[in-house]
Coordinates of all heavy atoms in Angstrom, one line a residue:
M93 N 17.3 4.3 13.9 CA 15.8 4.3 14.2 C 15.1 3.1 13.7 O 15.4 2.7 12.5 CB 15.2 5.6 13.7 CG 13.7 5.7 14.0 SD 13.1 7.3 13.5 CE 12.8 7.9 15.1
V94 N 14.2 2.5 14.4 CA 13.5 1.3 14.1 C 12.2 1.7 13.4 O 11.5 2.7 13.8 CB 13.2 0.5 15.3 CG1 12.4 -0.7 15.0 CG2 14.5 0.1 16.0
D95 N 11.9 1.0 12.3 CA 10.6 1.2 11.7 C 9.5 0.6 12.6 O 9.4 -0.6 12.7 CB 10.6 0.5 10.3 CG 9.3 0.7 9.5 OD1 8.4 1.5 10.0 OD2 9.1 0.0 8.5
K96 N 8.7 1.5 13.2 CA 7.7 1.1 14.2 C 6.7 0.1 13.6 O 6.3 -0.9 14.2 CB 7.0 2.3 14.8 CG 7.9 3.2 15.5 CD 7.2 4.5 15.9 CE 8.2 5.5 16.3 NZ 7.7 6.8 16.4
E97 N 6.2 0.4 12.4 CA 5.2 -0.4 11.8 C 5.7 -1.8 11.5 O 5.0 -2.8 11.7 CB 4.6 0.2 10.5 CG 3.5 -0.5 9.8 CD 2.3 -0.6 10.7 OE1 2.0 0.4 11.5 OE2 1.5 -1.6 10.6
A98 N 6.9 -1.9 10.9 CA 7.5 -3.2 10.6 C 7.8 -4.0 11.9 O 7.5 -5.2 11.9 CB 8.9 -3.0 9.9
L99 N 8.2 -3.3 13.0 CA 8.4 -4.0 14.3 C 7.1 -4.5 14.8 O 7.0 -5.6 15.3 CB 9.1 -3.1 15.2 CG 9.4 -3.6 16.6 CD1 10.4 -4.8 16.5 CD2 10.1 -2.5 17.5
Y100 N 6.1 -3.7 14.7 CA 4.7 -4.1 15.2 C 4.3 -5.3 14.4 O 3.8 -6.3 15.0 CB 3.8 -2.9 15.0 CG 2.3 -3.2 15.3 CD1 1.9 -3.3 16.6 CD2 1.4 -3.5 14.3 CE1 0.6 -3.5 16.9 CE2 0.1 -3.8 14.6 CZ -0.3 -3.8 15.9 OH -1.6 -4.1 16.2
R101 N 4.4 -5.3 13.1 CA 4.0 -6.5 12.3 C 4.8 -7.7 12.7 O 4.2 -8.8 12.7 CB 4.1 -6.2 10.8 CG 3.0 -5.3 10.3 CD 3.0 -5.2 8.8 NE 4.3 -4.9 8.2 CZ 4.7 -3.7 7.9 NH1 3.9 -2.6 8.1 NH2 5.9 -3.4 7.4
E102 N 6.1 -7.6 12.9 CA 6.9 -8.7 13.3 C 6.5 -9.3 14.6 O 6.4 -10.5 14.8 CB 8.4 -8.3 13.4 CG 9.3 -9.3 13.7 CD 10.8 -8.9 13.9 OE1 11.0 -7.7 13.7 OE2 11.6 -9.7 14.3
I103 N 6.2 -8.5 15.6 CA 5.7 -8.9 16.9 C 4.4 -9.7 16.8 O 4.3 -10.8 17.3 CB 5.6 -7.7 17.9 CG1 6.9 -7.1 18.2 CG2 4.9 -8.1 19.1 CD1 6.9 -5.7 18.8
V104 N 3.5 -9.1 16.0 CA 2.2 -9.8 15.8 C 2.3 -11.1 15.2 O 1.7 -12.1 15.6 CB 1.2 -8.9 15.1 CG1 -0.1 -9.6 14.7 CG2 0.8 -7.6 15.9
E105 N 3.2 -11.2 14.2 CA 3.5 -12.4 13.5 C 4.1 -13.5 14.4 O 3.7 -14.7 14.4 CB 4.4 -12.2 12.3 CG 4.7 -13.4 11.4 CD 5.5 -13.1 10.2 OE1 5.2 -12.1 9.5 OE2 6.6 -13.8 10.1
M106 N 5.1 -13.1 15.2 CA 5.7 -14.0 16.2 C 4.7 -14.5 17.2 O 4.7 -15.7 17.5 CB 6.8 -13.3 16.9 CG 8.1 -13.0 16.1 SD 9.3 -12.0 17.0 CE 9.9 -13.2 18.2
M107 N 3.8 -13.6 17.6 CA 2.7 -14.1 18.6 C 1.8 -15.0 17.9 O 1.3 -16.0 18.5 CB 2.0 -12.8 19.1 CG 2.9 -12.0 20.0 SD 2.0 -10.4 20.5 CE 1.2 -11.0 22.0
E108 N 1.5 -14.8 16.6 CA 0.6 -15.7 15.9 C 1.2 -17.1 15.8 O 0.6 -18.1 16.0 CB 0.3 -15.1 14.5 CG -0.6 -15.9 13.7 CD -2.1 -15.7 14.1 OE1 -2.4 -14.7 14.6 OE2 -2.8 -16.7 14.0
E109 N 2.5 -17.1 15.4 CA 3.2 -18.4 15.3 C 3.2 -19.1 16.6 O 3.0 -20.4 16.7 CB 4.6 -18.2 14.8 CG 4.7 -17.8 13.3 CD 6.1 -17.4 12.9 OE1 7.1 -17.8 13.6 OE2 6.2 -16.8 11.8
L110 N 3.5 -18.4 17.7 CA 3.6 -19.1 19.0 C 2.3 -19.5 19.5 O 2.2 -20.6 20.1 CB 4.3 -18.1 20.0 CG 4.9 -18.7 21.3 CD1 5.9 -19.7 20.9 CD2 5.5 -17.6 22.1
S111 N 1.2 -18.8 19.2 CA -0.1 -19.2 19.6 C -0.6 -20.5 18.9 O -1.5 -21.1 19.3 CB -1.1 -18.1 19.5 OG -1.4 -17.8 18.1
E112 N 0.1 -20.8 17.8 CA -0.3 -22.0 17.0 C 0.7 -23.1 17.2 O 0.5 -24.2 16.6 CB -0.4 -21.6 15.5 CG -1.5 -20.6 15.2 CD -1.4 -20.2 13.8 OE1 -0.5 -20.5 13.0 OE2 -2.3 -19.4 13.4
D113 N 1.7 -23.0 18.1 CA 2.7 -24.0 18.3 C 2.0 -25.1 19.2 O 1.8 -24.9 20.4 CB 3.9 -23.4 19.0 CG 5.0 -24.4 19.3 OD1 4.8 -25.6 19.1 OD2 6.1 -23.9 19.7
T114 N 1.8 -26.3 18.6 CA 1.1 -27.3 19.3 C 2.0 -28.0 20.4 O 1.5 -28.8 21.2 CB 0.6 -28.4 18.4 OG1 1.7 -28.9 17.6 CG2 -0.5 -27.8 17.5
S115 N 3.3 -27.6 20.5 CA 4.2 -28.2 21.5 C 4.0 -27.5 22.8 O 4.5 -27.9 23.9 CB 5.6 -28.2 21.1 OG 6.1 -26.8 21.0
L116 N 3.2 -26.4 22.8 CA 2.9 -25.6 24.0 C 1.6 -26.1 24.6 O 0.7 -26.4 23.8 CB 2.9 -24.1 23.7 CG 4.2 -23.5 23.2 CD1 3.9 -22.0 22.9 CD2 5.2 -23.6 24.3
P117 N 1.4 -26.0 25.9 CA 0.1 -26.3 26.5 C -1.0 -25.4 26.0 O -0.7 -24.2 25.6 CB 0.3 -26.1 28.0 CG 1.8 -26.3 28.2 CD 2.4 -25.7 26.9
R118 N -2.2 -25.9 25.9 CA -3.3 -25.1 25.4 C -3.5 -23.8 26.1 O -3.8 -22.8 25.5 CB -4.6 -26.0 25.5 CG -5.8 -25.3 24.8 CD -7.0 -26.2 24.8 NE -6.7 -27.5 24.2 CZ -7.0 -28.7 24.7 NH1 -7.7 -28.7 25.9 NH2 -6.7 -29.8 24.2
N119 N -3.4 -23.8 27.4 CA -3.6 -22.6 28.2 C -2.6 -21.5 27.9 O -2.8 -20.3 27.8 CB -3.7 -22.8 29.7 CG -2.4 -23.3 30.3 OD1 -1.7 -24.1 29.6 ND2 -2.1 -22.9 31.5
I120 N -1.3 -21.9 27.6 CA -0.3 -21.0 27.2 C -0.6 -20.4 25.8 O -0.5 -19.2 25.6 CB 1.1 -21.7 27.2 CG1 1.4 -22.3 28.5 CG2 2.2 -20.8 26.7 CD1 1.6 -21.3 29.6
R121 N -1.0 -21.3 24.9 CA -1.3 -20.8 23.5 C -2.5 -19.8 23.6 O -2.5 -18.8 22.9 CB -1.7 -22.0 22.6 CG -0.5 -22.9 22.3 CD -0.8 -23.8 21.2 NE -2.1 -24.5 21.2 CZ -2.3 -25.7 21.6 NH1 -1.3 -26.5 21.9 NH2 -3.5 -26.2 21.6
R122 N -3.5 -20.1 24.4 CA -4.6 -19.3 24.6 C -4.2 -17.9 25.2 O -4.7 -16.9 24.7 CB -5.7 -19.9 25.5 CG -7.0 -19.2 25.5 CD -8.1 -19.9 26.3 NE -8.1 -21.4 26.1 CZ -7.9 -22.3 27.1 NH1 -7.7 -21.9 28.3 NH2 -7.9 -23.6 26.8
G123 N -3.3 -17.9 26.1 CA -2.9 -16.7 26.7 C -2.1 -15.8 25.8 O -2.3 -14.6 25.7
I124 N -1.3 -16.4 24.9 CA -0.5 -15.7 23.9 C -1.5 -15.1 22.9 O -1.3 -14.0 22.5 CB 0.5 -16.6 23.3 CG1 1.6 -17.0 24.3 CG2 1.2 -15.9 22.1 CD1 2.5 -18.1 23.9
A125 N -2.5 -15.9 22.5 CA -3.5 -15.4 21.5 C -4.3 -14.2 22.1 O -4.5 -13.2 21.4 CB -4.4 -16.5 21.1
Q126 N -4.6 -14.3 23.4 CA -5.3 -13.2 24.1 C -4.4 -11.9 24.1 O -4.9 -10.8 23.9 CB -5.7 -13.6 25.5 CG -6.9 -14.6 25.4 CD -7.2 -15.1 26.8 OE1 -6.4 -15.0 27.8 NE2 -8.4 -15.8 26.9
A127 N -3.1 -12.1 24.4 CA -2.2 -11.0 24.4 C -2.1 -10.4 23.1 O -2.0 -9.1 22.9 CB -0.8 -11.4 24.9
R128 N -2.1 -11.2 22.0 CA -2.0 -10.7 20.6 C -3.3 -9.9 20.3 O -3.2 -8.8 19.7 CB -1.9 -11.9 19.7 CG -1.8 -11.4 18.2 CD -2.1 -12.5 17.2 NE -3.5 -12.9 17.4 CZ -3.9 -14.2 17.5 NH1 -3.0 -15.2 17.5 NH2 -5.2 -14.5 17.7
D129 N -4.4 -10.4 20.8 CA -5.7 -9.7 20.6 C -5.7 -8.3 21.3 O -6.2 -7.4 20.7 CB -6.9 -10.6 21.0 CG -7.1 -11.8 20.2 OD1 -6.5 -11.9 19.1 OD2 -7.8 -12.7 20.6
V130 N -5.2 -8.3 22.5 CA -5.1 -7.0 23.2 C -4.2 -6.0 22.4 O -4.5 -4.9 22.3 CB -4.5 -7.2 24.6 CG1 -4.0 -5.9 25.2 CG2 -5.5 -7.9 25.5
L131 N -3.1 -6.5 21.8 CA -2.2 -5.7 21.1 C -2.8 -5.2 19.8 O -2.5 -4.0 19.4 CB -0.9 -6.5 20.8 CG 0.2 -5.7 20.1 CD1 0.7 -4.5 20.9 CD2 1.4 -6.7 19.8
T132 N -3.6 -6.0 19.2 CA -4.1 -5.6 17.8 C -5.5 -4.9 17.9 O -5.9 -4.4 16.9 CB -4.2 -6.9 16.9 OG1 -5.0 -7.8 17.5 CG2 -2.8 -7.4 16.7
K133 N -6.1 -4.9 19.0 CA -7.5 -4.3 19.2 C -7.3 -2.8 19.1 O -6.6 -2.2 19.8 CB -8.1 -4.7 20.5 CG -9.5 -4.2 20.6 CD -10.2 -4.8 21.8 CE -11.6 -4.3 21.9 NZ -12.2 -4.8 23.1
E134 N -8.1 -2.2 18.2 CA -8.0 -0.8 17.9 C -8.8 0.1 18.8 O -9.6 0.9 18.3 CB -8.4 -0.5 16.4 CG -7.5 -1.1 15.4 CD -6.2 -0.4 15.2 OE1 -6.2 0.8 15.5 OE2 -5.2 -1.1 14.9
G135 N -8.8 -0.1 20.1 CA -9.7 0.7 20.9 C -8.9 1.8 21.7 O -9.3 2.9 22.0
N136 N -7.7 1.4 22.1 CA -6.8 2.2 22.9 C -5.6 2.7 22.1 O -5.3 2.2 21.0 CB -6.3 1.4 24.2 CG -7.5 1.0 25.1 OD1 -8.4 1.8 25.3 ND2 -7.4 -0.2 25.6
A137 N -4.9 3.6 22.7 CA -3.6 4.0 22.1 C -2.6 2.9 22.1 O -2.7 1.9 22.9 CB -3.0 5.2 22.9
L138 N -1.7 2.9 21.1 CA -0.8 1.8 20.9 C 0.1 1.6 22.1 O 0.4 0.4 22.5 CB 0.0 2.0 19.6 CG 1.0 0.9 19.3 CD1 0.3 -0.5 19.1 CD2 1.8 1.2 18.0
D139 N 0.5 2.6 22.8 CA 1.4 2.5 23.9 C 0.7 1.7 25.1 O 1.3 1.0 25.8 CB 2.0 3.8 24.4 CG 0.9 4.8 24.7 OD1 -0.2 4.7 24.3 OD2 1.3 5.8 25.4
V140 N -0.6 2.0 25.2 CA -1.4 1.3 26.3 C -1.5 -0.2 25.9 O -1.4 -1.1 26.7 CB -2.8 1.9 26.4 CG1 -3.7 1.1 27.3 CG2 -2.7 3.4 26.9
R141 N -1.8 -0.5 24.6 CA -1.9 -1.9 24.2 C -0.6 -2.6 24.3 O -0.6 -3.8 24.7 CB -2.4 -1.9 22.7 CG -3.8 -1.4 22.5 CD -4.2 -1.5 21.1 NE -3.2 -0.9 20.2 CZ -3.4 -0.5 19.0 NH1 -4.6 -0.7 18.4 NH2 -2.5 0.0 18.3
V142 N 0.5 -1.9 24.0 CA 1.8 -2.6 24.2 C 2.1 -2.9 25.7 O 2.5 -4.0 26.0 CB 3.0 -1.7 23.6 CG1 4.3 -2.1 24.1 CG2 2.9 -1.6 22.1
A143 N 1.8 -2.0 26.6 CA 2.0 -2.2 28.0 C 1.1 -3.4 28.5 O 1.6 -4.2 29.3 CB 1.7 -0.9 28.8
S144 N -0.1 -3.4 28.0 CA -1.0 -4.5 28.4 C -0.5 -5.8 27.9 O -0.6 -6.9 28.6 CB -2.4 -4.2 27.9 OG -2.9 -3.1 28.4
A145 N 0.0 -5.9 26.7 CA 0.5 -7.1 26.1 C 1.7 -7.6 26.9 O 1.9 -8.8 27.1 CB 0.8 -7.0 24.6
I146 N 2.6 -6.7 27.3 CA 3.8 -7.0 28.0 C 3.4 -7.6 29.4 O 3.9 -8.6 29.8 CB 4.7 -5.8 28.2 CG1 5.4 -5.4 26.9 CG2 5.8 -6.1 29.3 CD1 6.1 -4.1 27.0
F147 N 2.4 -7.0 30.0 CA 1.9 -7.5 31.3 C 1.4 -8.9 31.1 O 1.7 -9.8 31.9 CB 0.8 -6.6 31.9 CG 0.3 -7.1 33.2 CD1 1.0 -6.9 34.3 CD2 -1.0 -7.7 33.2 CE1 0.5 -7.3 35.6 CE2 -1.5 -8.1 34.4 CZ -0.8 -8.0 35.6
A148 N 0.6 -9.2 30.1 CA 0.0 -10.5 29.9 C 1.1 -11.5 29.6 O 1.0 -12.7 30.1 CB -1.0 -10.4 28.7
L149 N 2.0 -11.1 28.8 CA 3.1 -12.1 28.4 C 4.0 -12.4 29.7 O 4.5 -13.5 29.8 CB 4.0 -11.5 27.3 CG 3.3 -11.5 25.9 CD1 4.1 -10.8 24.9 CD2 2.9 -12.9 25.5
D150 N 4.2 -11.4 30.6 CA 4.9 -11.6 31.8 C 4.3 -12.7 32.6 O 4.9 -13.6 33.2 CB 5.1 -10.3 32.5 CG 6.0 -10.5 33.7 OD1 7.1 -11.0 33.5 OD2 5.6 -10.1 34.8
E151 N 3.0 -12.7 32.7 CA 2.2 -13.7 33.4 C 2.4 -15.1 32.8 O 2.6 -16.1 33.5 CB 0.7 -13.4 33.4 CG 0.3 -12.1 34.2 CD 0.5 -12.3 35.7 OE1 0.1 -13.4 36.2 OE2 0.9 -11.4 36.4
I152 N 2.4 -15.1 31.5 CA 2.6 -16.4 30.8 C 4.1 -16.9 31.0 O 4.3 -18.1 31.2 CB 2.3 -16.2 29.3 CG1 0.9 -15.9 29.1 CG2 2.8 -17.4 28.5 CD1 0.5 -15.4 27.7
A153 N 5.0 -16.0 30.9 CA 6.4 -16.4 31.1 C 6.7 -17.0 32.5 O 7.6 -17.8 32.7 CB 7.4 -15.2 30.9
N154 N 5.9 -16.6 33.5 CA 6.1 -17.1 34.8 C 5.3 -18.3 35.1 O 5.3 -18.9 36.2 CB 5.7 -16.0 35.8 CG 6.8 -14.9 35.8 OD1 8.0 -15.1 35.8 ND2 6.3 -13.7 35.9
D155 N 4.5 -18.8 34.1 CA 3.8 -20.0 34.3 C 4.7 -21.2 34.4 O 5.6 -21.4 33.5 CB 2.8 -20.2 33.1 CG 1.8 -21.3 33.3 OD1 2.3 -22.5 33.7 OD2 0.6 -21.1 33.1
P156 N 4.6 -22.1 35.4 CA 5.6 -23.2 35.5 C 5.4 -24.3 34.4 O 6.3 -25.1 34.2 CB 5.3 -23.8 36.9 CG 3.9 -23.3 37.2 CD 3.7 -22.0 36.5
N157 N 4.3 -24.3 33.7 CA 4.0 -25.3 32.7 C 4.6 -25.0 31.3 O 4.5 -25.8 30.4 CB 2.5 -25.5 32.6 CG 1.9 -26.1 33.8 OD1 2.5 -26.9 34.5 ND2 0.7 -25.6 34.2
I158 N 5.1 -23.8 31.2 CA 5.6 -23.4 29.8 C 7.0 -24.0 29.6 O 7.9 -24.0 30.4 CB 5.7 -21.8 29.7 CG1 6.0 -21.5 28.2 CG2 6.7 -21.2 30.6 CD1 5.8 -20.0 27.9
P159 N 7.1 -24.7 28.4 CA 8.4 -25.3 28.1 C 9.5 -24.2 27.9 O 9.2 -23.0 27.6 CB 8.2 -26.0 26.8 CG 6.7 -26.1 26.7 CD 6.1 -25.0 27.5
V160 N 10.8 -24.6 28.0 CA 11.9 -23.6 27.9 C 11.8 -22.9 26.6 O 12.0 -21.7 26.5 CB 13.2 -24.4 28.1 CG1 14.4 -23.4 27.8 CG2 13.3 -25.0 29.5
H161 N 11.6 -23.6 25.4 CA 11.6 -22.9 24.2 C 10.5 -21.9 24.1 O 10.6 -20.8 23.5 CB 11.5 -23.9 23.0 CG 10.2 -24.5 22.8 ND1 9.7 -25.5 23.5 CD2 9.2 -24.2 21.9 CE1 8.5 -25.9 23.1 NE2 8.2 -25.1 22.1
G162 N 9.3 -22.2 24.7 CA 8.2 -21.2 24.7 C 8.5 -20.0 25.5 O 8.2 -18.9 25.1
R163 N 9.1 -20.2 26.7 CA 9.5 -19.1 27.5 C 10.5 -18.2 26.8 O 10.4 -17.0 26.9 CB 10.1 -19.6 28.9 CG 10.5 -18.5 29.8 CD 10.9 -19.1 31.2 NE 9.7 -19.5 31.9 CZ 9.5 -20.7 32.4 NH1 10.4 -21.7 32.2 NH2 8.4 -21.0 33.0
T164 N 11.5 -18.8 26.1 CA 12.5 -18.0 25.4 C 11.8 -17.2 24.3 O 12.1 -16.0 24.2 CB 13.5 -19.0 24.7 OG1 14.1 -19.8 25.7 CG2 14.5 -18.2 24.0
M165 N 10.8 -17.7 23.6 CA 10.1 -17.0 22.6 C 9.3 -15.8 23.2 O 9.2 -14.7 22.7 CB 9.2 -17.9 21.8 CG 10.0 -18.8 20.8 SD 10.9 -17.9 19.6 CE 9.6 -17.1 18.7
V166 N 8.7 -16.1 24.4 CA 7.9 -15.1 25.0 C 8.8 -13.9 25.5 O 8.5 -12.8 25.3 CB 7.1 -15.7 26.3 CG1 6.6 -14.6 27.1 CG2 6.0 -16.6 25.8
Y167 N 10.0 -14.3 26.0 CA 10.9 -13.2 26.4 C 11.4 -12.4 25.1 O 11.6 -11.2 25.2 CB 12.1 -13.8 27.1 CG 11.8 -14.1 28.6 CD1 12.3 -15.3 29.2 CD2 11.0 -13.4 29.3 CE1 12.1 -15.6 30.5 CE2 10.7 -13.7 30.7 CZ 11.2 -14.8 31.2 OH 10.9 -15.1 32.5
M168 N 11.6 -13.1 24.0 CA 12.0 -12.4 22.8 C 10.9 -11.4 22.4 O 11.2 -10.3 22.0 CB 12.3 -13.4 21.7 CG 13.6 -14.1 21.8 SD 13.9 -15.3 20.5 CE 13.7 -14.4 19.0
I169 N 9.7 -11.9 22.4 CA 8.6 -11.0 22.0 C 8.5 -9.8 23.0 O 8.3 -8.7 22.6 CB 7.2 -11.8 22.0 CG1 7.3 -12.8 20.9 CG2 6.0 -10.9 21.9 CD1 6.2 -13.8 20.9
M170 N 8.6 -10.1 24.3 CA 8.6 -9.0 25.3 C 9.7 -8.0 25.0 O 9.5 -6.8 25.2 CB 8.7 -9.6 26.7 CG 7.5 -10.3 27.2 SD 7.6 -11.2 28.7 CE 7.9 -9.8 29.9
G171 N 10.9 -8.5 24.7 CA 12.0 -7.5 24.3 C 11.6 -6.6 23.2 O 11.9 -5.4 23.2
K172 N 11.0 -7.2 22.1 CA 10.6 -6.5 21.0 C 9.5 -5.5 21.3 O 9.5 -4.3 20.8 CB 10.2 -7.4 19.8 CG 11.4 -8.1 19.2 CD 10.9 -9.0 18.1 CE 12.1 -9.8 17.5 NZ 13.0 -9.0 16.8
L173 N 8.6 -5.9 22.2 CA 7.6 -5.0 22.7 C 8.2 -3.8 23.5 O 7.7 -2.6 23.3 CB 6.5 -5.7 23.5 CG 5.5 -6.5 22.7 CD1 4.8 -7.5 23.7 CD2 4.6 -5.7 22.0
E174 N 9.2 -4.1 24.3 CA 9.9 -3.0 25.0 C 10.5 -2.0 24.0 O 10.5 -0.8 24.2 CB 10.9 -3.6 26.0 CG 10.4 -4.3 27.1 CD 9.8 -3.4 28.2 OE1 10.0 -2.2 28.2 OE2 9.0 -4.0 29.0
T175 N 11.2 -2.6 23.0 CA 11.8 -1.7 22.0 C 10.7 -0.8 21.3 O 10.9 0.4 21.1 CB 12.5 -2.6 20.9 OG1 13.5 -3.4 21.6 CG2 13.1 -1.7 19.8
L176 N 9.6 -1.4 21.0 CA 8.5 -0.7 20.4 C 8.0 0.4 21.3 O 7.8 1.5 20.9 CB 7.4 -1.6 19.9 CG 6.2 -1.0 19.3 CD1 6.6 -0.3 18.0 CD2 5.1 -2.0 19.0
S177 N 7.9 0.1 22.6 CA 7.4 1.0 23.6 C 8.4 2.2 23.7 O 7.9 3.4 23.7 CB 7.3 0.3 24.9 OG 6.9 1.2 25.9
K178 N 9.7 1.9 23.7 CA 10.7 3.0 23.7 C 10.6 3.9 22.5 O 10.7 5.1 22.5 CB 12.1 2.4 23.9 CG 12.3 1.9 25.3 CD 13.7 1.4 25.4 CE 14.1 1.0 26.8 NZ 13.2 0.0 27.4
E179 N 10.4 3.3 21.3 CA 10.2 4.0 20.1 C 9.0 4.9 20.1 O 9.0 6.0 19.5 CB 10.2 3.1 18.9 CG 11.5 2.4 18.5 CD 12.6 3.5 18.1 OE1 12.2 4.4 17.3 OE2 13.7 3.3 18.5
L180 N 7.9 4.4 20.7 CA 6.7 5.2 20.7 C 6.8 6.4 21.6 O 6.2 7.4 21.4 CB 5.5 4.3 21.2 CG 5.1 3.2 20.2 CD1 4.1 2.3 20.9 CD2 4.5 3.8 19.0
S181 N 7.6 6.3 22.7 CA 7.7 7.4 23.6 C 8.8 8.4 23.2 O 8.8 9.5 23.8 CB 8.1 6.8 25.0 OG 9.4 6.2 25.0
S182 N 9.5 8.1 22.1 CA 10.5 9.1 21.7 C 10.0 9.9 20.5 O 9.0 9.7 20.0 CB 11.8 8.4 21.3 OG 11.6 7.5 20.2

């Protein structure tokens, strides 16, 4: 079993690092920061925030301007969000 809180903190930290990566275009960094804000905003249930963040990151991953290393990191974060989503539903 995965520690949900530790996984959540790891995801937020990864998103923070990626949103500050100056090798990514500004609009990509802004989109990642917005997805992080959606995930960390305490208004909705965590499962809703996770789903919204996955949707936002999917849009970013499909942007043709994102470099390969950025897309790889976005997919890694999305995978961790999917794991968190599965843990929340069990």
Side-chain angles (χ1 to χ4, degrees):
M93 179 175 249
V94 177
D95 180 11
K96 296 173 196 166
E97 185 62 33
L99 181 58
Y100 175 80
R101 285 192 307 267
E102 179 184 358
I103 292 166
V104 171
E105 184 178 308
M106 289 175 71
M107 292 173 87
E108 183 74 35
E109 289 175 14
L110 199 55
S111 70
E112 295 173 357
D113 184 352
T114 57
S115 68
L116 296 177
R118 187 176 305 134
N119 65 323
I120 301 295
R121 293 192 316 255
R122 190 176 318 120
I124 293 167
Q126 289 171 345
R128 183 199 63 228
D129 293 345
V130 165
L131 182 62
T132 58
K133 187 174 180 183
E134 293 287 331
N136 296 320
L138 184 56
D139 57 342
V140 173
R141 295 182 307 195
V142 167
S144 298
I146 290 171
F147 179 77
L149 290 173
D150 186 50
E151 293 288 321
I152 293 167
N154 290 318
D155 189 312
N157 295 321
I158 189 170
V160 174
H161 75 281
R163 182 173 285 122
T164 302
M165 287 298 295
V166 167
Y167 283 142
M168 285 177 55
I169 293 168
M170 287 174 65
K172 289 181 183 292
L173 283 167
E174 290 286 345
T175 301
L176 181 59
S177 178
K178 285 181 178 55
E179 287 294 319
L180 291 172
S181 65
S182 62

